[in-house]
Amino acid sequence: MPELSDRLSELAARVAELEAERELTLRLAQTDSLTGLVNRGAFTSGLCERLEAARRDGASVALFVIDLNRFKSLNDSLGHHAGDMLLAELGRRLRDGARPGELVARLGGDEFAVVSDVADVEGRAQELVSALAQPHTIYGRVVMPGGSVGVAEFPRDAQDASDLQRFADMALYRAKAIVGRGWHRFDAELRAESEHRRTLGDELRRAIPAGEMEPWFQPIVEAMTGRMVGVEVLARWRHPTQGLLAPLAFVPMAEELGLIRQIDEAIFDAACARAAPWVADGLIDTVSCNVSPRDLLDPGFSRKLIQRLAATDLPATALAVEITETFLLSDMGLARRHIERLAARGVQVALDDFGTGYSNLRALMHLPIQTVKLDRSLIYDVGRDARVSKLVASMLHAARSLGVRITAEGVEDEGQALFLRSAGCDRMQGYFFARPMPGDAMEAMLREDTRPEPERLAANG
Ligand code: C2E
Ligand code: CA
Ligand code: CA
């Protein structure tokens, strides 16, 4: 029956077609469309397979993670399309330079990875750095790309895929921090750091519910009068064996572990409870709380903060939330929603650490931000270095014309204070006035400061 055989071969052709389609879909699902490299999903399963094989064969596997230098600023200055072209070019370089059997992947953004069985790990790292550093021409402009590389090895450094990735990331972070050759290999020092982090993480999880996080307070004074008008809340960890720890010792770790939110909430509640009477008694007008950029990435952040605030005795208008400029730049849309939602309730928003990043005063015009905090790295040289003084004076001038209030941070001596006051700075904060202190000491200082003049004189003499 010719008809049946026709039907059969037709069917066979259709099956082959479907299979080819399925294969294409599968490949597309595993491929990064911009660079043609393997994508993150396929990379993770490929890495696990290779580790399994290496475990069986007693072989080793090196993981190189790569992050481009200054990609964000290139992308911003040249435009998205040029940024994509650059990523495609660097992806091509990595693919063309791959050794036989290597897995080359784009993990997302400007992050790449190479899984390799090379014996000369350091030589290969250097080779990757050199390949990425070659200049490239886009739209007739020569750009100098460049990337940093972190390496970790199985089984030398790590026994499984998740540790291997974590350690390679730590090495990458180190490679970026030390200027020079551009790559770093996971080593004993990083291992010690990773162990320290692990214990610190366990301790943090215990410390938060145990109430070991304390709000400390630092006065903010009015520049013209020297009167205390506000306090900034600064977190301290009363560690059972290590004593009092400053944020640098635990905030970055808490951010990494996703615990910063809990810390910020605990500090916020305790600080509001402590400081609400100071506001009610007219001793200060503002309580400023720091929030982590991590917190702000949560679209529900501002709504939850407003709810939390309502449960305290602090009026919304007496709260200022300090956010960093890096966050503004990372997600302008989300930043705007948070800031507008807070502003609608009367909560003030201050831009922290201004002068360390892009210092985009123009961005402020379009957002209801009332205060900018000039970073202490700028204040340090004020009155000492003529150029810094000039820069700060012009920032103060620009802020005033925009109707934004400026608080100078890290004021340590009288010279800085006098300069800032004469240049029109509104508020100041720093060791020259007072260091951060526990709630009891802050309370005593505030009540002392507002006693009527004769009484204070009597007390002193
Ligand atoms: P920041 O918001 O810029 O806070 C100001 C820092 O400068 C504080 O350090 C303060 O003690 C210090 N400081 C104040 N005056 C002077 C001065 O005259 N000279 C010098 N050299 N330093 C001065 P601290 O308390 O160690 O806090 C460091 C950072 O940790 C803060 O920087 C803030 O970004 C973060 N942080 C503090 N508390 C919290 C918190 O509750 N949550 C979050 N997410 N971050 C916090
Ligand atoms: Ca701050
Ligand atoms: Ca600051």
Side-chain angles (χ1 to χ4, degrees):
M1 267 223 270
E3 262 175 40
L4 184 62
S5 73
D6 278 357
R7 294 271 303 155
L8 276 178
S9 58
E10 211 174 273
L11 220 64
R14 182 75 189 119
V15 167
E17 223 170 75
L18 281 174
E19 228 147 58
E21 225 168 79
R22 201 180 68 98
E23 213 164 274
L24 183 68
T25 323
L26 206 65
R27 209 164 36 156
L28 284 179
Q30 297 181 336
T31 308
D32 168 57
S33 57
L34 183 61
T35 59
L37 296 174
V38 160
N39 64 19
R40 183 182 277 274
F43 160 79
T44 308
S45 51
L47 176 63
C48 290
E49 276 163 26
R50 274 153 206 254
L51 288 181
E52 238 164 71
R55 195 171 283 128
R56 220 170 33 233
D57 305 341
S60 49
V61 174
L63 169 63
F64 302 84
V65 291
I66 301 161
D67 194 74
L68 303 186
N69 304 335
R70 305 175 311 276
F71 179 71
K72 194 178 161 0
S73 70
L74 275 175
N75 209 28
D76 289 346
S77 64
L78 296 174
H80 266 290
H81 187 61
D84 282 356
M85 280 162 62
L86 186 63
L87 287 173
E89 160 67 13
L90 297 178
R92 191 187 58 72
R93 287 184 195 173
L94 291 175
R95 188 176 50 238
D96 291 354
R99 308 266 180 97
E102 281 184 347
L103 177 70
V104 183
R106 177 172 175 226
L107 301 183
D110 59 344
E111 245 184 283
F112 296 87
V114 176
V115 182
S116 175
D117 60 2
V118 282
D120 179 17
V121 168
E122 305 197 341
R124 184 73 180 107
Q126 182 56 55
E127 197 176 273
L128 289 168
V129 170
S130 309
L132 295 172
Q134 301 308 313
H136 183 56
T137 309
I138 297 177
Y139 298 145
R141 259 183 76 176
V142 179
V143 295
M144 306 297 278
S148 304
V149 176
V151 201
E153 236 184 311
F154 165 91
R156 192 187 93 131
D157 305 321
Q159 305 309 312
D160 60 39
S162 90
D163 273 355
L164 191 64
Q165 281 176 274
R166 204 157 55 82
F167 293 168
D169 280 340
M170 284 179 78
L172 172 65
Y173 196 72
R174 186 57 56 91
K176 280 185 166 288
I178 44 181
V179 186
R181 60 186 186 192
W183 59 271
H184 193 84
R185 190 174 184 174
F186 187 75
D187 55 15
E189 197 186 311
L190 288 180
R191 176 173 304 282
E193 194 183 309
S194 122
E195 264 145 35
H196 170 69
R197 285 179 183 208
R198 184 160 286 178
T199 42
L200 191 67
D202 291 345
E203 287 185 46
L204 266 177
R205 286 192 189 88
R206 181 196 49 74
I208 303 166
E212 289 171 17
M213 293 294 160
E214 283 180 18
W216 278 39
F217 301 89
Q218 186 179 30
I220 297 174
V221 307
E222 198 170 63
M224 283 319 283
T225 60
R227 194 173 67 88
M228 289 187 260
V229 286
V231 290
E232 176 173 3
V233 178
L234 296 160
R236 296 290 181 267
W237 178 6
R238 198 168 285 284
H239 190 283
T241 57
Q242 292 174 45
L244 199 69
L245 298 179
L248 190 62
F250 61 91
V251 165
M253 184 65 196
E255 287 181 331
E256 221 170 278
L257 293 171
L259 295 170
I260 190 67
R261 175 62 162 275
Q262 283 161 262
I263 295 179
D264 283 352
E265 288 179 354
I267 294 289
F268 179 83
D269 292 349
C272 287
R274 186 78 228 215
W278 307 340
V279 172
D281 295 349
L283 303 174
I284 52 169
D285 58 34
T286 324
V287 178
S288 301
C289 285
N290 290 287
V291 296
S292 158
R294 280 289 166 111
D295 297 340
L296 292 159
L297 287 175
D298 173 3
F301 162 77
S302 36
R303 199 174 28 80
K304 291 178 205 160
L305 186 87
I306 289 164
Q307 272 171 8
R308 271 197 120 69
L309 177 64
T312 75
D313 292 328
L314 192 72
T317 49
L319 176 68
V321 171
E322 298 193 357
I323 67 174
T324 61
E325 197 189 9
T326 32
F327 169 68
L328 274 193
L329 294 162
S330 73
D331 191 341
M332 196 52 158
L334 187 57
R336 172 181 297 279
R337 281 202 297 285
H338 285 322
I339 294 170
E340 283 173 352
R341 210 181 275 155
L342 291 169
R345 296 302 174 109
V347 175
Q348 304 164 53
V349 176
L351 202 54
D352 208 350
D353 303 339
F354 197 76
T356 52
Y358 291 78
S359 305
N360 188 353
L361 273 174
R362 229 168 3 143
L364 299 178
M365 285 196 302
H366 307 293
L367 290 169
I369 287 179
Q370 300 87 350
T371 305
V372 163
K373 299 192 78 174
L374 279 190
D375 192 68
R376 70 165 182 270
S377 58
L378 274 176
I379 303 309
Y380 185 78
D381 283 322
V382 143
R384 272 188 263 268
D385 179 326
R387 280 183 316 177
V388 175
S389 305
K390 232 181 179 162
L391 175 71
V392 168
S394 69
M395 280 173 137
L396 288 167
H397 184 77
R400 229 191 351 257
S401 66
L402 291 172
V404 173
R405 185 161 70 198
I406 294 245
T407 301
E409 288 185 320
V411 179
E412 292 186 355
D413 61 42
E414 195 172 13
Q416 295 164 338
L418 290 174
F419 175 89
L420 289 163
R421 193 168 68 182
S422 67
C425 183
D426 305 278
R427 293 183 166 191
M428 296 190 254
Q429 177 183 354
Y431 295 171
F432 178 60
F433 304 101
R435 292 190 174 241
M437 61 192 92
D440 287 346
M442 188 72 251
E443 167 123 24
M445 189 185 239
L446 284 169
R447 303 228 178 254
E448 168 97 6
D449 194 53
T450 51
R451 270 185 291 164
E453 199 65 15
E455 199 181 321
R456 207 182 322 160
L457 285 178
N460 289 342

